[in-house]
Amino acid sequence: MTQLSSDTETADDTRLLNVLTELQVGIRKISMYGLSHSIVPKIVGNLSEKFNTILSTTDHLPLVIAKNEILYQEHAIGPGNTTISELSQSLHHLNIIHITFNKGLTEDALLKFLTFILVYRAKTFSQHDPLIAQFHQEAPNIVLQLVTFKDVIKHQGTAHEEGRSGNIWQNLLRRSTDPALPEEVRRLIHADPDSTPDTESVAAAINAL
């Protein structure tokens, strides 16, 4: 988002907090009433208007998902806000660590995103799940990045050898010798790659970044 002054920054932060709050409230309402309810088009329309207002000043809106917060440009959105925390937990459970909303976002794409979250809320995904590929094909203006540390650890050698920019967790692995790296992250990087990922440990590592 364009930040021309302190007043602009505050307005941008407020719009982002409002749209993510409305996103979570919409998820709650659709969960109660169902995807076929007449309230759904209004929810999607309002979300589309708010997201596209933000996207009128930037081509991309990248958000990092931690266990209890959502970050934009390395800063938490609405720190301590319980609604944002609820949204981040829902996305975190799906193993989503990064979402980018792109310019040209449509109501259809937002509806597919809401449907995806609600239909699969009890499931955890990996990046290579066929359902993720299907979602990206159907909603190309919303990009989901998922991670399980088990997958990343198995490819640690490749990430080091290639020496090029990749996803944020591959970049993290290349920092594994950095003395400033949080201990929560270091423990996961050097964990047994065949062990079952510990959700709480992953969450602690994400929140430590």
Side-chain angles (χ1 to χ4, degrees):
M1 278 177 270
T2 304
Q3 296 181 343
L4 301 176
S5 67
S6 58
D7 291 340
T8 302
E9 286 183 26
T10 301
D12 286 344
D13 291 345
T14 300
R15 283 200 295 268
L16 191 48
L17 175 60
N18 286 345
V19 72
L20 293 180
T21 299
E22 187 157 328
L23 175 60
Q24 178 56 29
V25 170
I27 290 170
R28 284 187 206 148
K29 289 180 178 179
I30 298 173
S31 179
M32 289 174 55
Y33 296 113
L35 285 160
S36 61
H37 196 277
S38 59
I39 197 174
V40 174
K42 182 178 180 181
I43 291 172
V44 173
N46 287 340
L47 285 171
S48 176
E49 180 179 353
K50 286 181 167 56
F51 270 112
N52 282 298
T53 295
I54 295 172
L55 289 167
S56 67
T57 61
T58 183
D59 290 338
H60 314 287
L61 177 61
L63 304 172
V64 175
I65 313 302
K67 184 181 179 183
N68 294 304
E69 60 186 6
I70 298 176
L71 293 86
Y72 171 69
Q73 294 183 340
E74 300 183 3
H75 298 288
I77 300 163
N81 184 295
T82 56
T83 303
I84 300 299
S85 178
E86 184 181 345
L87 175 61
S88 69
Q89 288 171 25
S90 298
L91 298 171
H92 185 270
H93 177 76
L94 297 170
N95 282 340
I96 297 172
I97 61 160
H98 196 276
I99 301 177
T100 301
F101 296 94
N102 293 313
K103 189 181 287 290
L105 184 64
T106 64
E107 291 188 13
D108 183 63
L110 282 168
L111 178 58
K112 284 182 168 59
F113 179 61
L114 291 167
T115 301
F116 181 88
I117 292 172
L118 289 164
V119 170
Y120 299 115
R121 56 189 162 188
K123 180 177 172 63
T124 54
F125 287 94
S126 69
Q127 188 69 42
H128 303 294
D129 193 300
L131 289 170
I132 299 299
Q134 180 181 338
F135 173 81
H136 284 150
Q137 184 176 21
E138 295 177 351
N141 293 106
I142 303 176
V143 180
L144 307 179
Q145 184 174 322
L146 298 94
V147 71
T148 62
F149 266 88
K150 182 176 180 180
D151 293 337
V152 175
I153 292 166
K154 283 185 176 180
H155 293 88
Q156 181 172 358
T158 302
H160 281 288
E161 291 164 11
E162 289 177 350
R164 65 172 188 267
S165 61
N167 66 42
I168 60 176
W169 294 109
Q170 288 174 330
N171 293 334
L172 177 62
L173 289 175
R174 284 195 289 277
R175 290 179 51 211
S176 60
T177 58
D178 183 350
L181 196 66
E183 182 59 30
E184 295 92 338
V185 178
R186 195 182 307 282
R187 283 198 297 268
L188 284 171
I189 288 175
H190 298 293
D192 177 3
D194 293 318
S195 64
T196 302
D198 180 342
T199 303
E200 292 300 319
S201 296
V202 172
I206 292 173
N207 283 326
L209 293 177

